[in-house]
Amino acid sequence: MKRKTDVPQGTLALMILKTLDVLGPLHGYGIARRIEQISRDVLAVNQGTLYPVLLKLEQEGSIVSEYGASENNRRARFYRLTRDGRKQLQAELRDWEQTAGIIGRFFELKAEDLS
Amino acid sequence: MRDLRRFLKRFRNMVTRRRNDERLKEEIEEHIALQTAEYMKAGLPPAEARRQALLKFGAVEAIKEEYRAQTGLPFVETLLYDTRYALRRLRKSPSFTITVVLTLALGIGATTSIFTLFYDVLLKSLTVANPGELYRLGKEARCCYWGGYSQENEYSLVSYELYKHFRDHTQGFAQLAAFQADDPLLGVQRSGGTESAQSYPGEFVSGNYFTMFGISAYAGRLLTSTDDQPGAPAVAVMSYRLWQQYGSDPFIVGAVFNIDNTPFTIVGITPPSFFGDTLRSEPPDFFLPLNSETLVPQADAGDLNQADQYWLDLIGRIKPGAEPTSIEAQMRVELKQWLLSYQSEMSANDRAKLPEQTLFLRPGGSGITSMRAEYEHWLHILMMVSAFVLLIVCANVANLMLVRGMQRRRETSLSVALGAHTSRLVRQALTESILLSLAGGMTSLVIAFAGTRLILLFAFPSARGATGIPINASPSMPVLLFAFGVSLVAAVVFGIAPAWMTTRVDPIEALRGVSRSTARTGALPRKMLVVFQAALSLVLLAASGLLTAAVHRLESQRFGFLQEQRTIVRIDPGLIDYQPNQFTTLYDRIRDSLSSIPGVAAAAICQYAPQSGNNWATSVWVNGRPAPGPNEDNVENMVYWDRVTPGYFSAIGTQIIEGRSISEEDTATSQHVAVINEAFAKKYFNKENPIGQYFGRPELESPRLYKIVGVAQDARYLNFDFDKPIGPFFFLAEAQHDVVPKTGGDSNPGSHHLHDIILVTRPGATVSAAAIRQAIVSVDPRLPIESIGTLGEQVSNQFRQQRLIAKLSSFFGVLSLVLASIGLYGVTSYNVGQRTTEIGVCFALGATPAQVAILVIRRALALVAVGLALGFPVALAAGKFLGSQLYGLNPYDPAATLLAILTLSFSTLVAAFIPALRASRISPSEALRAE
């Protein structure tokens, strides 16, 4: 069985932002489901860890929350990306691509490249 | 930016105590419901679906915890919580809190008040612009006058000529100012005023003095270079303090004051924070331009225009970027050039010493530091002593805290059993310590302020002038910071051991009864604290014993003159315009007038009475021997001397051992005579009979100036070198004037300005100051009286500093003794309480009460014995250190050390006696039942 690694908080935050960016306003469970679908088992256990991160993002002003009706017609809290959040996402994306690019090049490194 | 926004949100949540618990609960419920629905859709039965959903969600409590941590600021919240908790606990045991706070306040207050002095005297800069740019001449302060063309070790005083030479040639200084090294008393009277002349300290300063310091006038203007020109109108600047004494009268600026009978116009007032160039107990109240020195010649200043009269200190502000070392090098060259240009006027000895003449520049931001040099050692000693006391205080408080920790063991172990973190418990304990310490620190400020005031009052009781000692007892910012820092450090020092103890609690103890515990946790640290306290107390007691003994020895030494029934009236005849030959008549009339006061047995006048600290010195050339060469013409070979009227020796109570004293038969025209002391006879005549021999002075180029007519018993005139035997000294007759061979004039007219009248009162009689003043006014109303006091006061004033130090250290010693005894008492009685059962068993087995009491006392004594053994070498080292600081102190004084040991042992007995008594009264049956 594959060991479930703890999701780094920054990564989880990024996933939340991207999910909200793509899908628009969602409640906590919805976000958890999407992340689960895409990342398979990152959130297979400990779905609850999502909520402290949501609170942190809201305090930072990247997302806002308001009440809405869920699928089963219950009152639920919906999260929506703000303009700040979108900017943050773009910035993080750039950073990520840059880092990934560098790491990628290192992984492709062969001995003759350095000779 | 985002972090800031988040912080503000969290801060607001914390302050408003907003809890998002409700919101989270809602969200969790919603989440679980949705997940359960999902699982049910997949076909799971409802109960299983909900179980799976909960499993998937994770540990709800942990998430709640994290969520809460995100909401507010947990660190601050815990701190606030701990503080509230500690406050509540401290309120619950007020006697403990008050004891600890007061003990700490004593310790921190003592340290802070000494630090206030330490800071003001040793660390503070002058209140001037950019003190870092100031440099002064001289490694050490030299007071206050020097003559000739050579100075020992270094040129640190300059003449007006030499000042101008440096000022005009040294490029590196933006401003170079000179000012009088001394601040003599001036006779001051407001022109047109009705009150009599008052004495205030004043100082001659160069015109750029204030410009150099970069300060501006509080009112009016300060001196400028144009004021300091020959023939410029006589102007002066007054100190802020004196101006306040005149009721801050705005018309003072522009008013005319008669200073030493010369009219000066006051042009301005110095700013309140300015105390002059030197930290001294009597800062100047008047600043006069150097060139006005010719208007009011001072006996202890040089003549302005004499190149070899050095009476000025130098401080300069260097140009930005200038290198002090290169300025110093340049000034050395300038000094040599200047000296060479006076080569023809130099004495042979000065010429021989010319190559070695040099000078040094030193940072001058704190001004001339004679006071600093004088008090530095003492302040260091006091600082150490107070630090010792603070350590003992900390040990005591730590002891109390440990007992408190013991009493709370059960509570603590319950907390640990319930899962409290050790770090959290330590934090709680430390919070309590810090709170106590800060409360102690705050209370200590009151003690520190009062203490500093008291010390200043004892140390400088009779400051002349309006300004008073420029040391402020009220706490300044650095002092406040110091007290705060010391409180924190103390909190850690006394709080760390009890805090550490809490981590050593076994949760299983919560389940057992505490009294069943066999482990004596905390006994060792507490014993160590007592040992430590005993050791420190021994050091302090021994040191204060040594100091007290030394002061006693100083005060009870053989002075060679009588102090009882002697009154000293200090006058300044130099300020009235008498011809040199008129003084003898003046003195005769003063003596007659004073002798006729009822109760006065005799009156005589001398230039300076013993222990006045002003005697003049000269080299001596004994007839029949070669004149002293350059190597003998130095401070070690200087002989001090005094000029006296007839009847002086019987008035001062010094016995004439051989020959006769100076009498009425020694007139201006008769053979010039001298009376020498025993040390003089021994040094220069050894076994020969000195009577009838001649001696003279090399600067008057004659070995036959004076015929020795008598030898007087050695007497201590100088107020320094108490550790050395009394040196050679001679006395000359007032009526006889030294004659310069070349010119035929008087070589030392100033020595005929006799300053001290010695009045001998009849046994039991008291003579009022008013009667003395009246008698002198009847002779000449213009003659200023500077002071009237007893000779005994004058002598004991010399040891004021030492006495103060001895008193302070005795106070600290007793304080430490009391604290150590309390600590010992606490430990002993706690141990007795712990060992109740054991003692009960002893009784049951047939021990007598006396045996039990001895057992308890023996344990206490054993602890103190270890402390004594540890403290003894430290006490010896401290004594040795003090011996190097104070003359007359015997570092191996067995009496003082023994007394300290006995005192400490005795207090140990007293402290252990009460618990021992209690132990001896334990009833065996009760003790066994207490189990």
Coordinates of all heavy atoms in Angstrom, one line a residue, chain B residues 676-741:
Chain B
I676 N 61.0 73.1 61.5 CA 60.8 71.9 60.7 C 60.2 70.8 61.5 O 60.1 70.9 62.7 CB 62.2 71.4 60.1 CG1 63.1 71.0 61.3 CG2 62.8 72.5 59.2 CD1 64.4 70.4 60.8
N677 N 59.6 69.8 60.8 CA 59.1 68.7 61.5 C 60.1 67.5 61.7 O 61.2 67.6 61.1 CB 57.8 68.2 60.9 CG 57.9 67.5 59.6 OD1 59.0 67.5 59.0 ND2 56.9 66.9 59.1
E678 N 59.7 66.5 62.4 CA 60.7 65.4 62.7 C 61.1 64.8 61.4 O 62.3 64.4 61.3 CB 60.0 64.4 63.6 CG 59.7 64.9 65.0 CD 58.7 63.9 65.7 OE1 57.5 64.0 65.5 OE2 59.3 63.0 66.4
A679 N 60.2 64.6 60.5 CA 60.5 63.9 59.2 C 61.6 64.7 58.4 O 62.5 64.1 57.8 CB 59.3 63.7 58.4
F680 N 61.4 66.0 58.5 CA 62.4 66.9 57.8 C 63.8 66.7 58.4 O 64.8 66.5 57.7 CB 61.9 68.3 57.9 CG 62.7 69.3 57.1 CD1 62.1 69.9 56.0 CD2 64.0 69.7 57.3 CE1 62.7 70.8 55.2 CE2 64.7 70.6 56.6 CZ 64.0 71.2 55.5
A681 N 63.8 66.7 59.8 CA 65.1 66.6 60.5 C 65.7 65.2 60.1 O 66.9 65.1 59.9 CB 64.8 66.7 62.0
K682 N 64.9 64.2 60.1 CA 65.4 62.9 59.9 C 65.9 62.7 58.4 O 67.0 62.2 58.2 CB 64.3 61.8 60.1 CG 64.8 60.4 60.3 CD 63.7 59.5 60.7 CE 64.2 58.1 60.6 NZ 63.1 57.2 60.4
K683 N 65.2 63.3 57.5 CA 65.6 63.1 56.1 C 66.8 63.9 55.7 O 67.7 63.4 55.0 CB 64.4 63.5 55.2 CG 64.8 63.5 53.7 CD 63.6 63.6 52.7 CE 64.1 63.5 51.3 NZ 63.0 63.7 50.3
Y684 N 66.9 65.2 56.2 CA 68.0 66.0 55.7 C 69.1 66.1 56.7 O 70.2 66.6 56.4 CB 67.4 67.4 55.4 CG 66.5 67.4 54.2 CD1 65.2 67.4 54.3 CD2 67.1 67.4 52.9 CE1 64.4 67.4 53.2 CE2 66.3 67.4 51.8 CZ 64.9 67.4 51.9 OH 64.1 67.3 50.8
F685 N 68.9 65.8 58.0 CA 70.0 66.0 59.0 C 70.3 64.7 59.7 O 71.3 64.6 60.5 CB 69.6 67.1 60.0 CG 69.4 68.4 59.3 CD1 68.1 68.9 59.1 CD2 70.5 69.1 58.8 CE1 67.9 70.1 58.5 CE2 70.3 70.3 58.2 CZ 69.0 70.8 58.0
N686 N 69.5 63.7 59.5 CA 69.8 62.4 60.1 C 70.1 62.5 61.6 O 69.2 62.8 62.4 CB 70.8 61.6 59.3 CG 70.7 60.2 59.5 OD1 69.8 59.7 60.2 ND2 71.7 59.4 59.0
K687 N 71.4 62.3 61.9 CA 71.7 62.3 63.4 C 72.2 63.7 63.8 O 72.5 63.9 65.0 CB 72.7 61.2 63.7 CG 71.9 59.9 63.8 CD 72.9 58.7 64.0 CE 72.1 57.4 63.9 NZ 72.8 56.4 63.1
E688 N 72.5 64.5 62.9 CA 73.0 65.9 63.3 C 71.9 66.7 64.0 O 70.8 66.4 63.8 CB 73.4 66.7 62.0 CG 74.6 66.2 61.2 CD 74.7 67.0 59.9 OE1 74.8 68.3 60.0 OE2 74.6 66.4 58.9
N689 N 72.3 67.6 64.7 CA 71.3 68.5 65.4 C 70.9 69.6 64.3 O 71.7 70.3 63.9 CB 72.0 69.2 66.6 CG 71.0 70.1 67.3 OD1 69.8 70.1 66.9 ND2 71.4 70.8 68.3
P690 N 69.7 69.6 64.0 CA 69.2 70.6 62.9 C 69.2 72.0 63.4 O 69.2 72.9 62.6 CB 67.9 70.1 62.5 CG 67.4 69.3 63.7 CD 68.6 68.7 64.4
I691 N 69.1 72.2 64.7 CA 68.9 73.6 65.2 C 70.1 74.4 64.9 O 71.3 74.0 65.1 CB 68.7 73.6 66.8 CG1 67.6 72.6 67.2 CG2 68.5 75.0 67.3 CD1 66.2 73.1 66.8
G692 N 69.9 75.6 64.3 CA 71.0 76.4 63.9 C 71.5 76.2 62.5 O 72.3 77.0 62.0
Q693 N 71.0 75.1 61.8 CA 71.4 74.9 60.5 C 70.6 75.8 59.5 O 69.5 76.3 59.9 CB 71.1 73.4 60.1 CG 71.8 72.4 61.0 CD 73.1 72.0 60.5 OE1 73.7 72.7 59.6 NE2 73.6 70.8 60.9
Y694 N 71.0 75.9 58.3 CA 70.3 76.7 57.3 C 69.8 75.8 56.1 O 70.4 74.8 55.8 CB 71.3 77.8 56.7 CG 71.6 78.8 57.7 CD1 72.7 78.7 58.6 CD2 70.9 80.0 57.8 CE1 73.0 79.7 59.5 CE2 71.2 81.0 58.7 CZ 72.2 80.8 59.6 OH 72.6 81.8 60.5
F695 N 68.7 76.3 55.5 CA 68.4 75.7 54.2 C 67.7 76.7 53.4 O 67.3 77.8 53.9 CB 67.5 74.4 54.4 CG 66.1 74.7 54.9 CD1 65.0 74.8 54.0 CD2 65.8 74.8 56.2 CE1 63.7 75.0 54.4 CE2 64.5 75.1 56.6 CZ 63.4 75.2 55.7
G696 N 67.5 76.4 52.1 CA 66.9 77.4 51.2 C 66.2 76.7 50.1 O 65.8 75.5 50.3
R697 N 65.9 77.4 49.0 CA 65.2 76.8 47.9 C 65.9 77.0 46.6 O 66.4 78.1 46.4 CB 63.8 77.5 47.8 CG 63.0 77.4 49.0 CD 61.6 77.6 48.7 NE 61.0 78.6 49.4 CZ 59.8 79.2 49.1 NH1 59.2 78.8 48.1 NH2 59.3 80.1 49.9
P698 N 66.0 76.0 45.8 CA 66.8 76.2 44.5 C 66.2 77.3 43.6 O 67.0 77.9 43.0 CB 66.7 74.8 43.9 CG 65.6 74.0 44.6 CD 65.5 74.7 46.0
E699 N 64.9 77.5 43.6 CA 64.4 78.5 42.7 C 64.7 79.9 43.2 O 64.7 80.8 42.3 CB 62.8 78.3 42.5 CG 62.0 78.8 43.6 CD 61.5 77.6 44.5 OE1 62.2 76.6 44.5 OE2 60.4 77.7 45.1
L700 N 65.1 80.1 44.4 CA 65.5 81.4 44.9 C 67.1 81.4 44.9 O 67.7 82.4 45.4 CB 65.0 81.7 46.3 CG 63.4 81.8 46.3 CD1 62.9 82.2 47.7 CD2 63.0 82.9 45.3
E701 N 67.7 80.3 44.5 CA 69.1 80.2 44.3 C 69.9 80.5 45.5 O 70.9 81.2 45.5 CB 69.5 81.2 43.1 CG 69.0 80.7 41.8 CD 69.1 81.8 40.7 OE1 70.0 82.6 40.9 OE2 68.4 81.7 39.7
S702 N 69.3 80.1 46.7 CA 70.1 80.3 47.9 C 69.8 79.1 48.8 O 68.7 78.7 49.0 CB 69.6 81.6 48.6 OG 70.1 81.6 49.9
P703 N 70.9 78.6 49.5 CA 70.7 77.6 50.5 C 70.6 78.1 51.9 O 70.6 77.4 52.9 CB 71.9 76.7 50.3 CG 73.0 77.6 49.8 CD 72.3 78.8 49.1
R704 N 70.7 79.5 52.0 CA 70.8 80.1 53.4 C 69.6 81.0 53.6 O 69.8 82.0 54.3 CB 72.1 80.8 53.5 CG 73.3 80.0 53.6 CD 74.6 80.8 53.8 NE 74.5 81.5 55.1 CZ 75.0 81.0 56.2 NH1 75.6 79.9 56.3 NH2 74.9 81.8 57.3
L705 N 68.4 80.6 53.2 CA 67.3 81.5 53.4 C 66.8 81.5 54.8 O 66.4 82.5 55.4 CB 66.1 81.1 52.4 CG 66.3 81.4 50.9 CD1 65.1 80.8 50.2 CD2 66.4 82.9 50.7
Y706 N 66.7 80.3 55.4 CA 66.1 80.1 56.7 C 67.0 79.4 57.6 O 67.7 78.5 57.3 CB 64.8 79.3 56.5 CG 64.0 79.6 55.3 CD1 63.8 78.7 54.3 CD2 63.3 80.8 55.2 CE1 63.1 78.9 53.2 CE2 62.5 81.1 54.1 CZ 62.4 80.2 53.1 OH 61.7 80.4 52.0
K707 N 67.0 80.0 58.9 CA 67.7 79.3 60.0 C 66.7 78.5 60.8 O 65.6 78.9 61.1 CB 68.3 80.4 60.8 CG 69.2 79.8 62.0 CD 69.7 81.0 62.8 CE 70.5 80.4 64.0 NZ 70.9 81.5 64.9
I708 N 67.1 77.2 61.0 CA 66.2 76.3 61.7 C 66.2 76.7 63.2 O 67.3 76.6 63.8 CB 66.5 74.9 61.5 CG1 66.3 74.6 60.0 CG2 65.6 74.0 62.3 CD1 66.9 73.2 59.5
V709 N 65.1 77.0 63.8 CA 65.1 77.4 65.2 C 64.3 76.3 66.0 O 64.4 76.4 67.3 CB 64.4 78.8 65.5 CG1 65.3 79.9 64.9 CG2 63.0 78.8 64.9
G710 N 63.6 75.4 65.4 CA 62.9 74.5 66.2 C 62.5 73.2 65.4 O 62.4 73.3 64.2
V711 N 62.2 72.2 66.1 CA 61.7 71.0 65.5 C 60.3 70.6 66.1 O 60.2 70.6 67.3 CB 62.6 69.8 65.7 CG1 62.0 68.5 65.0 CG2 64.0 70.1 65.1
A712 N 59.3 70.5 65.2 CA 58.0 70.2 65.7 C 57.6 68.7 65.5 O 58.2 68.1 64.6 CB 56.9 71.1 65.0
Q713 N 56.8 68.3 66.3 CA 56.3 66.9 66.2 C 55.6 66.7 64.8 O 55.1 67.7 64.3 CB 55.2 66.8 67.3 CG 54.4 65.5 67.3 CD 53.2 65.8 68.3 OE1 53.0 66.9 68.8 NE2 52.4 64.8 68.5
D714 N 55.7 65.5 64.2 CA 55.1 65.3 62.9 C 53.6 65.4 63.0 O 53.0 65.0 64.0 CB 55.4 63.9 62.4 CG 56.8 63.7 61.8 OD1 57.4 64.8 61.5 OD2 57.3 62.6 61.7
A715 N 53.0 66.1 62.0 CA 51.6 66.3 62.0 C 51.1 66.0 60.6 O 51.7 66.3 59.6 CB 51.2 67.7 62.5
R716 N 49.9 65.4 60.5 CA 49.3 65.1 59.1 C 48.7 66.4 58.6 O 47.5 66.7 59.0 CB 48.3 64.0 59.2 CG 48.9 62.6 59.2 CD 48.3 61.7 58.2 NE 49.0 60.4 58.3 CZ 49.9 60.0 57.4 NH1 50.3 60.8 56.4 NH2 50.5 58.9 57.6
Y717 N 49.3 67.0 57.6 CA 48.7 68.2 57.0 C 48.0 67.8 55.7 O 46.9 68.2 55.4 CB 49.8 69.2 56.7 CG 50.0 70.1 57.9 CD1 50.7 69.7 59.0 CD2 49.5 71.4 57.8 CE1 50.8 70.5 60.1 CE2 49.7 72.3 58.9 CZ 50.3 71.8 60.0 OH 50.5 72.7 61.1
L718 N 48.6 66.8 54.9 CA 48.1 66.5 53.6 C 46.9 65.6 53.8 O 46.8 64.8 54.7 CB 49.2 65.8 52.8 CG 50.5 66.5 52.8 CD1 51.5 65.7 51.9 CD2 50.3 67.9 52.3
N719 N 45.9 65.8 52.9 CA 44.8 64.9 53.0 C 44.8 63.8 51.9 O 43.9 63.3 51.4 CB 43.5 65.7 52.8 CG 43.5 66.4 51.5 OD1 44.4 66.4 50.7 ND2 42.3 67.1 51.1
F720 N 46.1 63.4 51.6 CA 46.2 62.2 50.8 C 47.5 61.4 51.3 O 48.1 61.9 52.3 CB 46.4 62.5 49.3 CG 47.4 63.6 49.0 CD1 48.8 63.2 48.8 CD2 47.1 64.9 49.0 CE1 49.7 64.2 48.5 CE2 48.0 65.9 48.8 CZ 49.3 65.5 48.5
D721 N 47.9 60.3 50.7 CA 49.0 59.6 51.2 C 48.9 59.1 52.6 O 49.9 59.1 53.4 CB 50.3 60.4 51.0 CG 50.8 60.4 49.6 OD1 50.2 59.6 48.8 OD2 51.7 61.1 49.3
F722 N 47.7 58.8 53.1 CA 47.5 58.4 54.4 C 48.2 57.1 54.7 O 48.5 56.7 55.9 CB 46.0 58.2 54.8 CG 45.3 59.5 55.0 CD1 44.5 60.1 54.0 CD2 45.5 60.2 56.2 CE1 43.8 61.3 54.2 CE2 44.9 61.4 56.4 CZ 44.0 61.9 55.4
D723 N 48.5 56.3 53.7 CA 49.2 55.0 53.9 C 50.7 55.2 54.1 O 51.3 54.3 54.5 CB 48.9 54.1 52.7 CG 49.2 54.8 51.4 OD1 49.2 56.0 51.3 OD2 49.5 54.1 50.4
K724 N 51.2 56.4 53.8 CA 52.6 56.6 53.9 C 52.9 57.4 55.2 O 52.1 58.1 55.8 CB 53.1 57.4 52.7 CG 53.0 56.7 51.4 CD 53.6 57.5 50.3 CE 53.3 56.8 49.0 NZ 53.1 57.7 47.9
P725 N 54.2 57.2 55.7 CA 54.5 58.0 56.9 C 54.5 59.5 56.6 O 54.6 59.9 55.4 CB 55.9 57.5 57.3 CG 56.4 56.7 56.1 CD 55.2 56.3 55.3
I726 N 54.3 60.3 57.6 CA 54.2 61.8 57.4 C 55.6 62.2 56.8 O 56.6 61.9 57.2 CB 53.9 62.5 58.7 CG1 52.6 62.1 59.2 CG2 54.0 64.0 58.5 CD1 52.3 62.5 60.6
G727 N 55.5 63.0 55.7 CA 56.7 63.5 55.0 C 57.2 64.8 55.6 O 56.7 65.3 56.6
P728 N 58.4 65.2 55.1 CA 59.0 66.4 55.6 C 58.1 67.6 55.4 O 57.4 67.7 54.4 CB 60.3 66.6 54.7 CG 60.5 65.3 54.1 CD 59.2 64.6 54.0
F729 N 58.2 68.6 56.3 CA 57.3 69.7 56.3 C 58.0 70.8 57.1 O 58.8 70.6 58.0 CB 56.0 69.4 57.1 CG 54.8 70.2 56.7 CD1 53.9 69.8 55.8 CD2 54.6 71.5 57.3 CE1 52.8 70.5 55.5 CE2 53.6 72.3 56.9 CZ 52.6 71.8 56.0
F730 N 57.9 72.1 56.6 CA 58.4 73.2 57.4 C 57.5 74.4 57.5 O 56.5 74.5 56.7 CB 59.8 73.6 56.9 CG 59.9 74.2 55.5 CD1 59.7 75.6 55.3 CD2 60.1 73.4 54.4 CE1 59.7 76.1 54.0 CE2 60.2 74.0 53.1 CZ 60.0 75.3 52.9
F731 N 57.7 75.2 58.5 CA 56.9 76.3 58.8 C 57.7 77.6 58.7 O 58.8 77.6 59.3 CB 56.2 76.2 60.2 CG 55.5 74.9 60.3 CD1 56.1 73.7 60.7 CD2 54.1 74.9 60.1 CE1 55.4 72.6 60.9 CE2 53.4 73.7 60.3 CZ 54.0 72.5 60.7
L732 N 57.1 78.6 58.1 CA 57.8 79.9 58.0 C 57.0 81.0 58.8 O 55.8 80.8 59.0 CB 58.0 80.4 56.6 CG 58.8 79.4 55.7 CD1 58.9 79.9 54.3 CD2 60.2 79.2 56.2
A733 N 57.7 82.0 59.2 CA 57.0 83.1 59.9 C 56.3 84.0 58.9 O 56.8 84.4 57.9 CB 58.0 83.9 60.7
E734 N 55.0 84.4 59.3 CA 54.2 85.2 58.4 C 54.9 86.6 58.2 O 54.9 87.1 57.1 CB 52.8 85.4 59.0 CG 51.9 86.1 58.0 CD 52.1 87.6 57.9 OE1 52.4 88.3 58.8 OE2 52.0 88.1 56.7
A735 N 55.6 87.1 59.2 CA 56.1 88.5 59.2 C 57.3 88.6 58.2 O 57.7 89.7 57.8 CB 56.5 88.9 60.6
Q736 N 57.9 87.4 57.9 CA 59.1 87.5 57.1 C 58.8 87.1 55.6 O 58.2 86.1 55.3 CB 60.1 86.5 57.7 CG 60.4 86.8 59.1 CD 61.3 85.9 59.8 OE1 61.4 84.7 59.4 NE2 62.0 86.4 60.8
H737 N 59.2 88.0 54.7 CA 59.0 87.8 53.3 C 60.2 87.3 52.5 O 61.3 87.8 52.7 CB 58.6 89.2 52.6 CG 57.2 89.7 53.1 ND1 56.1 89.7 52.3 CD2 56.8 90.1 54.3 CE1 55.1 90.1 53.0 NE2 55.5 90.4 54.2
D738 N 60.0 86.2 51.7 CA 61.1 85.7 50.9 C 61.4 86.7 49.8 O 60.6 87.4 49.3 CB 60.6 84.4 50.2 CG 60.4 83.3 51.2 OD1 61.1 83.3 52.2 OD2 59.6 82.5 50.9
V739 N 62.7 86.9 49.6 CA 63.2 87.9 48.7 C 63.8 87.2 47.5 O 64.6 86.3 47.6 CB 64.2 88.8 49.4 CG1 64.8 89.8 48.4 CG2 63.5 89.6 50.5
V740 N 63.4 87.7 46.3 CA 64.0 87.2 45.1 C 65.4 87.9 44.9 O 65.4 89.1 44.9 CB 63.1 87.4 43.8 CG1 63.8 86.9 42.6 CG2 61.8 86.8 44.0
P741 N 66.5 87.1 44.8 CA 67.8 87.8 44.8 C 68.0 88.8 43.7 O 68.5 89.9 43.9 CB 68.8 86.6 44.6 CG 68.0 85.4 44.8 CD 66.6 85.7 44.7

